[in-house]
Amino acid sequence: MGKCLIMCAGEFSPIAMDRQEDDFVIAADNGLTYLTRMGVVPDFIIGDYDSLEEEGRQVLREFEQSRPDCVLRLPVEKDDTDTMAAVRVGLERGYTTFTLYAALGGRLDHTLANIQTLNFIRAHGAKGYIMDASCMMFVIRDETRNFAPGFQGSFSLFALDGKLTGVTLRGMKYEVTDAVITNDYPIGVSNRIEGDRPASVTVEHGSALCYVAW
């Protein structure tokens, strides 16, 4: 099965979507406008459409007429954000890898909500990534993640739980072994993946947000 790609309604910067034939593309609210500008036709559209620009509204009307089963209108007053609702659709369809675009910038509360959504995705046994033109974020939980050989970039690690134990960083400027990191002190900021040796991050117990920039 492919990936679930979700175009959110945050600050938009043109970025190439790594879309494969078996990927499932969801437009969350004004993410539909962004996809339209990119020339990408979504497989599913969801949202309360309170932020949808006219360019996207025209496409929405066309979808509601020709493919009504691919459109879901949500109430404005609801518990889930539009992005969270889109993630639930992907999980229900069995997807285990999610990439969120346009999930940063704009309103800070929505940016924080999207980071929490990454944590939700990981807690439900899937992997999620927020992708931007210059950075990527993902959540790890009781696991090790390896970086591609030769990759170079800045790296930061933040505790989402109260305490992370068994934190080990390899292939970075500042390496640690079996460290403890808490969520009340940002000691994990501004490390660097050197690219001259294999790099990895391990958290034996707890959930952590990883931020990678290039």
Side-chain angles (χ1 to χ4, degrees), residues 5-53:
L5 311 179
I6 301 174
M7 183 61 77
C8 306
E11 196 170 277
F12 177 67
S13 56
I15 182 174
M17 296 184 76
D18 183 22
R19 184 180 187 179
Q20 306 299 316
E21 186 176 349
D22 55 349
D23 290 342
F24 188 69
V25 178
I26 302 178
D29 206 274
N30 200 47
L32 178 58
T33 301
Y34 301 154
L35 288 178
T36 300
R37 293 172 182 170
M38 294 171 63
V40 176
V41 178
D43 298 299
F44 197 84
I45 303 172
I46 189 170
D48 55 29
Y49 310 119
D50 61 344
S51 66
L52 187 58
E53 298 176 45

Side-chain angles (χ1 to χ4, degrees), residues 22 44 49-50 102 109 123 126 135 152 162-163 181 200 205:
D22 55 349
F44 197 84
Y49 310 119
D50 61 344
D109 55 347
C135 69
Q152 298 181 50
K163 181 171 71 173
I181 293 180
S200 64
H205 300 289

Side-chain angles (χ1 to χ4, degrees), residues 52-71:
L52 187 58
E53 298 176 45
E54 182 55 37
E55 192 174 354
R57 290 188 183 279
Q58 176 60 38
V59 177
L60 176 63
R61 288 190 288 267
E62 294 172 0
F63 259 77
E64 288 181 320
Q65 292 177 1
S66 62
R67 300 171 59 188
D69 57 325
C70 296
V71 178

Side-chain angles (χ1 to χ4, degrees), residues 166-187:
V167 178
T168 298
L169 304 178
R170 292 286 179 261
M172 303 189 191
K173 182 177 181 179
Y174 306 108
E175 295 191 334
V176 296
T177 301
D178 199 27
V180 174
I181 293 180
T182 60
N183 67 0
D184 58 0
Y185 184 64
I187 195 170

Side-chain angles (χ1 to χ4, degrees), residues 75-150:
V76 175
E77 296 181 353
K78 57 187 183 302
D79 292 333
D80 285 352
T81 63
D82 293 329
T83 298
M84 177 64 83
V87 166
R88 290 188 189 277
V89 169
L91 288 172
E92 289 169 359
R93 291 170 181 257
Y95 288 91
T96 58
T97 302
F98 292 77
T99 304
L100 279 55
Y101 299 91
L104 304 175
R107 287 176 50 177
L108 178 59
D109 55 347
H110 279 288
T111 296
L112 294 173
N114 290 334
I115 290 172
Q116 286 190 318
T117 300
L118 287 183
N119 203 23
F120 175 89
I121 291 170
R122 194 71 196 100
H124 285 74
K127 294 180 180 180
Y129 303 87
I130 288 178
M131 292 294 299
D132 195 59
S134 61
C135 69
M136 169 181 68
M137 286 190 277
F138 58 91
V139 168
I140 62 173
R141 177 191 296 253
D142 306 344
E143 63 185 303
T144 296
R145 292 283 187 96
N146 298 303
F147 292 92

